[in-house]
Amino acid sequence: MKFHNYLLKQAEPILNDIYQSSFVKGIGFNNLSQQQRDYYVAQDSYYTDEFSHLFDLTITKLTTEQQSTQPQTLDETVAHDALLASPNMLNIPPDDHNLAYLDHMKTEIMSGDATNAMLALLPCTESYHLIGKRYLNTTAHNTYSPWLEYYTSSAYQDFTQWSWQVIDAQIPDWQKLPVNDQKRYLNTYLTSYQFELSFWEHAAQQ
Ligand SMILES: Cc1ncc(C[n+]2csc(CCO)c2C)c(N)n1
């Protein structure tokens, strides 16, 4: 089992909660209010802008070989547009859970090694791909299909696969990691997953 498969197995309970969260099901089954979409797109526009800085920071920690294989970074405007937010989203400031998530990623990128940095970002990348695969084509005439199509596109899949490959290559023998390293990596990764779940739950509560 590769390192990323091991990690994903540990995240399974949180990932299942994400699949079952009411906003994610709302995307899958075409059932979201304007208020929920405005809140989510407002939060996520802020998040994705900040994320791109965090990604640039992480890239500097990788080898030139890993950097050179990095697929083109993606612009999530298409996904946001699919959620048809109203201009009211411009009045919604970034929420505490969002700022805390970004803060967690920044701290882990700055204070840990390249693997720790990649693991702070991985739940973001992989969970969206897995949500897309899970709900694509579950509902006919779904207004939000372009969102699901974006995160299952080959460009997005390449991006996810590149993240998995980098992490697996960095830690080829994860069973042999010192216990403290294993704990730190797992904690960085699962904390990001918990913030992903919280992001969805806050959006559903609007
Ligand atoms: C809360 C939240 N988590 C993850 C993503 C997905 N995502 C955000 S930035 C980025 C990198 C490439 O564009 C990816 C995959 C999101 N949109 N919002």
Side-chain angles (χ1 to χ4, degrees), residues 44 47-48 51 74 76 124-125 128 151 156 159 196 199:
D44 212 49
Y47 175 92
T48 50
F51 184 94
L74 305 155
E76 286 174 271
C124 157
T125 307
Y128 274 52
Y151 290 110
Y156 195 83
F159 187 71
E196 282 292 334
F199 207 98

Side-chain angles (χ1 to χ4, degrees), residues 40 43-45 47-52 55 72-76 79-80 97-98 101 105 121-129 147 150-151 156 159-160 192 195-197 199-200:
Y40 173 82
Q43 297 307 320
D44 212 49
S45 300
Y47 175 92
T48 50
D49 281 353
E50 293 296 312
F51 184 94
S52 75
F55 187 76
Q72 222 188 333
T73 29
L74 305 155
D75 173 3
E76 286 174 271
H80 289 159
H97 67 90
N98 191 355
Y101 184 8
M105 289 192 285
L121 305 185
L122 185 59
C124 157
T125 307
E126 79 182 0
S127 71
Y128 274 52
H129 183 55
W147 192 98
Y150 176 83
Y151 290 110
Y156 195 83
F159 187 71
T160 310
S192 286
F195 276 122
E196 282 292 334
L197 175 60
F199 207 98
W200 292 120

Side-chain angles (χ1 to χ4, degrees), residues 27-28 63 65 74 125 154 197:
I27 295 175
T63 64
E65 152 76 15
L74 305 155
T125 307
S154 58
L197 175 60

